[in-house]
């Protein structure tokens, strides 16, 4: 499938996680958003992460994690985010839609 699976200890139901675990996950994703392979993605993903990650729940963070840490290269991510190339079905979700809207508003 191309998505790296990450394991996070969870409390309660399967879709919830403690605040400290979510904060750790957010911090990692913010860092990874800033340290991309191409400048274009550094700008896109840094501004996106700064604006949205603090409000994402665990499920949304997982989707974002799967997107930016997939087997696909940086140019694929760039093409999907600007809408010049369709993303694989596994990434056609609310997070990619929000990312595309973010990029369009910044253009």
């Amino acid at each position: 499938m191309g998505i790296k699976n990450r394991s996070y200890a969870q409390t309660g139901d399967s879709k919830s996680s403690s605040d400290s675990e979510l904060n750790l996950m957010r911090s990692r994703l913010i860092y990874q958003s800033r340290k991309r392979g191409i400048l274009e993605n550094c700008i896109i993903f840094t501004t996106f992460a700064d604006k949205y990650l603090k409000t994402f729940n665990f499920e949304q963070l997982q989707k974002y994690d799967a997107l930016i840490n997939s087997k696909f290269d940086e140019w694929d991510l760039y093409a999907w985010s600007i809408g010049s190339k369709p993303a694989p079905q596994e990434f056609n979700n609310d997070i990619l839609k929000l990312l595309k809207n973010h990029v369009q508003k910044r253009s």
Side-chain angles (χ1 to χ4, degrees):
M1 183 151 105
I3 299 174
K4 295 178 184 175
N5 292 321
R6 298 194 189 275
S7 176
Y8 297 95
Q10 297 180 359
T11 58
D13 68 75
S14 64
K15 292 190 177 188
S16 68
S17 188
S18 75
D19 287 342
S20 64
E21 291 164 344
L22 285 176
N23 288 335
L24 180 63
M25 187 177 188
R26 279 188 189 98
S27 295
R28 176 180 57 78
L29 291 171
I30 288 169
Y31 176 82
Q32 290 174 332
S33 296
R34 292 180 178 150
K35 304 298 181 184
R36 305 309 305 172
I38 59 173
L39 179 60
E40 292 85 345
N41 283 356
C42 290
I43 295 167
I44 290 169
F45 289 103
T46 295
T47 58
F48 181 82
D50 288 346
K51 185 171 184 176
Y52 294 105
L53 261 55
K54 62 183 169 257
T55 64
F56 279 7
N57 62 31
F58 183 69
E59 181 182 353
Q60 291 169 311
L61 290 171
Q62 285 182 312
K63 288 178 187 177
Y64 184 70
D65 189 3
L67 176 67
I68 69 168
N69 290 303
S70 70
K71 68 177 180 178
F72 297 96
D73 68 29
E74 290 296 309
W75 289 111
D76 287 328
L77 293 175
Y78 177 72
W80 303 338
S81 66
I82 66 168
S84 68
K85 182 178 174 183
Q89 188 61 37
E90 65 193 276
F91 299 119
N92 281 328
N93 57 42
D94 56 328
I95 301 304
L96 184 58
K97 184 177 179 178
L98 187 61
L99 178 64
K100 286 179 179 181
N101 287 334
H102 174 75
V103 170
Q104 289 175 353
K105 286 180 183 178
R106 294 192 53 86
S107 299

